[in-house]
């Protein structure tokens, strides 16, 4: 199969980041043929194999957006905490790691010269996120108030330092407090209200 053909098939289907199964379906290949082509294209430098996630690949000349990669490296997960806060302008400073939350386990990955961190939350609190179009692909990100609630939750646990530069004027406080309630952590809601009022 010609390299240009398979690259066009992948791009036409929006597969900037794909599994071996998606590669096989895109090219109409048998499992054995797909495996051989993947090995050959990785050796030639056409594809990159993301070692952190077995069977996950991308085109070398068109690497995926970091947020999409974050969603795929650990599923289910959504972008939150510092990355989301910086995106919404609530956190007025640059963020280098891509931060997410997940109902699974706390993990850290390195891929494409970036660091991806995942913080575990209870399944009852795994909500308040929505789809977002980024470069033609869908990524899952926390709503602004949920990103703050996640951040305050981990700060209350002592696992994140509380940044005193958060822009509270950009946050719907009623919605924030509703999200804090879903964590069902003793003292979190009142502590959060106190943090917000101190920084008014």
């Amino acid at each position: 199969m010609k390299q240009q053909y398979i690259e066009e098939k992948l791009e036409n289907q929006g597969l900037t980041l794909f599994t071996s199964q998606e590669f096989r379906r895109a090219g109409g290949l048998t499992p054995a043929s797909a495996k051989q082509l993947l090995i050959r294209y990785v050796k030639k430098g056409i594809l990159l194999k993301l070692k952190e996630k077995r069977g996950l690949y991308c085109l070398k000349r068109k690497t995926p957006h970091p947020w999409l990669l974050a969603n795929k490296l650990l599923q289910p997960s959504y972008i939150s905490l510092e990355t989301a806060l910086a995106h919404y302008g609530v956190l007025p400073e640059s963020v280098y790691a891509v931060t997410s939350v997940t109902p699974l386990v706390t993990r850290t990955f390195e891929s494409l010269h970036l660091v991806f961190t995942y913080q575990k939350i209870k399944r009852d609190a795994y909500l308040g996120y929505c789809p977002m179009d980024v470069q033609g692909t869908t990524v899952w990100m926390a709503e602004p108030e949920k990103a703050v609630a996640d951040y305050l939750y981990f700060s209350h646990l002592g696992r994140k330092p509380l940044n005193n530069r958060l822009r509270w004027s950009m946050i719907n406080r009623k919605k924030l407090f509703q999200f804090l309630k879903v964590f069902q952590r003793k003292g979190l809601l009142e502590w959060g209200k106190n943090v917000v009022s101190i920084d008014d």
Side-chain angles (χ1 to χ4, degrees):
M1 179 174 290
K2 292 184 178 180
Q3 171 191 336
Q4 184 178 357
Y5 172 77
I6 191 64
E7 286 185 348
E8 288 178 354
K9 292 283 283 185
L10 290 167
E11 290 191 23
N12 288 341
Q13 295 182 41
L15 296 175
T16 55
L17 184 66
F18 49 89
T19 63
S20 54
Q21 290 83 2
E22 289 170 330
F23 177 83
R24 177 175 60 81
R25 288 195 296 268
L29 303 165
T30 64
S33 296
K35 184 177 180 180
Q36 290 176 353
L37 278 178
L38 285 168
I39 293 172
R40 185 188 309 168
Y41 287 170
V42 169
K43 285 183 177 179
K44 286 185 175 182
I46 298 165
L47 298 179
L48 292 176
K49 184 175 183 180
L50 304 172
K51 296 178 181 178
E52 299 79 4
K53 181 78 172 181
R54 188 176 180 181
L56 193 62
Y57 301 82
C58 69
L59 290 169
K60 186 174 182 179
R61 66 176 178 80
K62 192 174 182 181
T63 55
H65 193 283
W67 297 351
L68 176 62
L69 181 53
N71 281 180
K72 295 288 187 179
L73 283 174
L74 187 62
Q75 295 178 296
S77 66
Y78 62 84
I79 305 294
S80 187
L81 305 167
E82 292 90 345
T83 298
L85 295 177
H87 168 70
Y88 291 123
V90 178
L91 183 64
E93 52 196 57
S94 299
V95 176
Y96 298 101
V98 181
T99 55
S100 303
V101 299
T102 176
L104 301 177
V105 292
T106 295
R107 294 285 300 272
T108 297
F109 297 107
E110 289 188 24
S111 187
L112 301 181
H113 309 294
L114 294 169
V115 175
F116 299 83
T117 66
Y118 301 80
Q119 297 289 338
K120 180 182 178 179
I121 59 174
K122 60 175 66 178
R123 287 194 176 272
D124 288 346
Y126 190 78
L127 45 74
Y129 57 94
C130 55
M132 177 180 294
D133 182 82
V134 176
Q135 298 178 356
T137 59
T138 298
V139 299
W140 296 95
M141 178 176 284
E143 298 173 37
E145 291 77 14
K146 185 53 164 56
V148 175
D150 290 342
Y151 181 78
L152 291 178
Y153 171 69
F154 288 109
S155 294
H156 194 245
L157 285 175
R159 288 164 54 182
K160 282 189 176 291
L162 183 62
N163 191 310
N164 59 9
R165 298 181 63 202
L166 295 181
R167 294 169 173 161
W168 299 108
S169 61
M170 305 181 72
I171 294 298
N172 180 318
R173 300 185 186 199
K174 182 178 180 181
K175 193 171 183 179
L176 166 62
F177 298 148
Q178 289 173 339
F179 279 134
L180 286 177
K181 289 178 182 178
V182 303
F183 286 99
Q184 299 178 9
R185 175 172 170 78
K186 185 177 180 180
L188 174 60
L189 178 59
E190 292 306 316
W191 178 81
K193 289 180 177 180
N194 187 54
V195 168
V196 174
S197 64
I198 288 174
D199 288 297
D200 276 340

